[in-house]
Amino acid sequence: MEDLLNFTYSNIQMIYILILSIFLGIEVISNVPAVLHTPLMSGANAIHGVVIIGAIIVMGSAAPDNYLAIVLGFIAVIFGTLNVVGGFVVTDRMLEMFQKKKKK
């Protein structure tokens, strides 16, 4: 019975931290000026390489019969990769705006 209470208490703490981080993220992002939003977000998207590494570690350490961990890890790798590539594409397009136009 004590193990069940500790498990529930631990889950409640994780949910509490998740809710606080959501509110903190909304507050931080809403106070970013529009001029800085695109460079900030393109750089933040590139940080999602950590998500890719974490997902690979989860998939590698999962038991072979734990299909849920493997599928969720694979989905995290796909979404993390899309986010990293998207961040670099946005950064590249943003930097193209500052290059001089070539004369024909």
Side-chain angles (χ1 to χ4, degrees), residues 6 9 45 63:
N6 287 338
Y9 184 70
N45 286 345

Side-chain angles (χ1 to χ4, degrees), residues 36-49:
L36 294 177
H37 193 266
T38 301
L40 177 68
M41 292 311 291
S42 65
N45 286 345
I47 296 173
H48 272 84

Side-chain angles (χ1 to χ4, degrees), residues 7 14 16 19 30 35 38 44 48 64 73 78-80 94 97 103:
F7 179 75
M14 287 184 200
Y16 182 68
I19 291 171
S30 65
V35 176
T38 301
H48 272 84
I78 297 297
F79 284 151
M94 183 180 58
M97 294 187 321
K103 294 181 181 181

Side-chain angles (χ1 to χ4, degrees), residues 59-78:
M59 288 182 0
S61 65
D65 60 340
N66 190 354
Y67 297 114
L68 180 64
I70 294 171
V71 168
L72 288 177
F74 181 74
I75 291 171
V77 168
I78 297 297

Side-chain angles (χ1 to χ4, degrees), residues 93-100:
R93 289 189 68 186
M94 183 180 58
L95 291 175
E96 283 179 6
M97 294 187 321
F98 297 105
Q99 291 179 353
K100 291 183 179 182

Side-chain angles (χ1 to χ4, degrees), residues 1-15:
M1 182 70 175
E2 186 176 318
D3 291 335
L4 181 63
L5 290 175
N6 287 338
F7 179 75
T8 305
Y9 184 70
S10 175
N11 285 342
I12 291 172
Q13 283 181 330
M14 287 184 200
I15 292 171

Side-chain angles (χ1 to χ4, degrees), residues 2 15 24 28-29 56 60 69 72 77 84 91-92 95 98 102:
E2 186 176 318
I15 292 171
L24 179 67
V28 168
I29 295 299
I56 291 171
L72 288 177
V77 168
V84 168
T91 303
D92 186 51
L95 291 175
F98 297 105
K102 293 183 180 179

